[in-house]
Amino acid sequence: MTATMVGAVDLGGTHVTAARIDTAAHRRIPGGTHGVPLRADGGRDELLAAITGAVAAAHTPAVRAWGLAVPGPFDYARGVALFEGVGKFESLYGVDLRAALADATGLAPGRFRFLNDADAFLLGEWTAGAARGHDRCAGLTLGTGVGSAFLAGGRVVDDGPGVPPEGRVDLLEYGGRPIEETFSRRALLAAYGAGDGFDVKDLIERARAGEPRALAVLGEAVGALGATVAPWLARFAPTALVVGGAIARGWEVLAPLLTPALADVRSLRLLTPTRLGDDAALLGAAHVAPAAP
C-alpha cells in the first residue's frame, strides 16, 4: 500500500482536510484523514497552525509527497499565499506555505505540489468520478463563488482561445457586472432578501418545495450563469460538464434550470453533479503529488 500512498489536502473557506490517499484504488486510506475547521478571518498564526497541524496529523514516514488543492489567489509554483481582496485567509498573504509544511513534516519543500481547488475537483472527477473516460471535460464549483476548470487529456487548460482568462469563469461578466454579482452565495441571498440565519440551503429547500419566489431567484441566477459560460463551453467543446460545490447539492432543482441554458453546447454528452463529493478535490490533489523519490 505504501507504494501508492500520497498525502492530499483540500483547503476550503471554512476547513482544511488532510488525508492519506491510495492512488491505485482512488480512495482515502481508512484512519488517515484529519479535518480542522478554519475561520476565514483568523490570524496568521492561527490559520497556519491549523493547516500545518492537520497535515502533520495525517503524515506518516510512508508518505513521501503531498498534493494540495488551494483556492486562489495563490502562487501555485512557489507555494506562497496571495489571498487579498477575497474575504478569506488574508492574514496569510505572503506566507510560504510550502516551507511551513516542509518544517511540519520533515519532507523536502519539493515534495509539496499545489494546484487550484477547482482544477483539483475536476482532476478528481476525471481520475475516478463522473468525468472518467472523457478526454475533454469541464467543471464548475458553485458555492461562495464560481470556480471553474477545463481539462484536455487529463491536463489543465487555463489559457488559449478556448477558455476564459486563466480558465476562470469568475472573471467573466454578465450584464456588465462580474458574474459573481449575479451567481454566488451572497448574490442569491441578496436577491431573495432573506434575513439572518437564512442560507442557500434554505433557498434551495424552498425551491424544492415549489415556492415561486425561490424558483424565480434561482432561475434568474442559473440562467445568467448558463448564458455566461455557454459560449466558452461551445469553444472548448467538452463532452462532460461536472458540477460541484455546496449549491450543487440541490442538483434536482438546478439541473432543470441549467440544462436549457446550455442547450447550444453541442459537444456536451453529459451534464452531471459530482460523483465523488468532498473526495474529488482530495483525489485531484493526490493525482499531482510529486512522484516518490
Side-chain angles (χ1 to χ4, degrees):
M1 180 171 63
T2 57
T4 60
M5 190 196 318
V6 300
V9 171
D10 176 19
L11 178 60
T14 60
H15 73 281
V16 57
T17 301
R20 296 194 294 273
I21 303 293
D22 183 339
T23 58
H26 303 300
R27 65 177 180 85
R28 302 192 204 193
I29 293 173
T33 299
H34 293 267
V36 178
L38 298 176
R39 293 190 307 120
D41 60 349
R44 176 187 180 277
D45 291 345
E46 173 191 339
L47 292 174
L48 195 56
I51 295 167
T52 57
V55 171
H59 186 70
T60 71
V63 175
R64 303 302 303 157
W66 283 82
L68 299 98
V70 181
F74 195 89
D75 186 329
Y76 296 101
R78 294 193 302 136
V80 174
L82 298 177
F83 304 115
E84 188 174 38
V86 292
K88 60 184 177 184
F89 305 154
E90 298 196 6
S91 66
L92 291 177
Y93 186 90
V95 169
D96 186 337
L97 196 54
R98 171 176 280 135
L101 292 171
D103 288 343
T105 60
L107 292 177
R111 297 284 87 205
F112 298 87
R113 185 170 295 166
F114 299 81
L115 79 164
N116 177 266
D117 55 349
D119 292 338
F121 162 78
L122 186 56
L123 269 172
E125 293 289 344
W126 177 79
T127 301
R132 191 167 189 173
H134 290 265
D135 183 68
R136 295 181 74 83
C137 54
L140 294 173
T141 54
L142 310 178
T144 303
V146 180
S148 56
F150 300 82
L151 292 183
R155 298 178 65 87
V156 173
V157 180
D158 57 12
D159 60 14
V163 298
E166 301 176 34
R168 293 174 53 185
V169 166
D170 66 298
L171 296 179
L172 302 178
E173 293 188 347
Y174 176 80
R177 302 186 304 163
I179 181 58
E180 289 188 344
E181 291 188 16
T182 301
F183 192 102
S184 64
R185 175 182 176 274
R186 67 181 183 277
L188 287 168
L189 295 179
Y192 189 78
D196 292 342
F198 188 90
D199 211 337
V200 169
K201 66 179 186 301
D202 304 302
L203 175 64
I204 291 172
E205 282 301 318
R206 293 190 182 186
R208 188 180 284 122
E211 183 191 284
R213 177 161 178 74
L215 286 168
V217 168
L218 281 171
E220 181 175 349
V222 174
L225 177 66
T228 302
V229 302
W232 291 99
L233 291 174
R235 295 184 188 105
F236 186 68
T239 56
L241 173 62
V242 186
V243 185
I247 297 177
R249 291 170 185 161
W251 184 250
E252 70 278 15
V253 175
L254 295 182
L257 303 173
L258 186 58
T259 300
L262 301 179
D264 290 337
V265 185
R266 303 299 185 186
S267 63
L268 271 186
R269 300 199 306 267
L270 179 66
L271 173 61
T272 181
T274 173
R275 183 180 299 169
L276 300 175
D278 293 340
D279 283 353
L282 288 169
L283 291 178
H287 184 74
V288 304

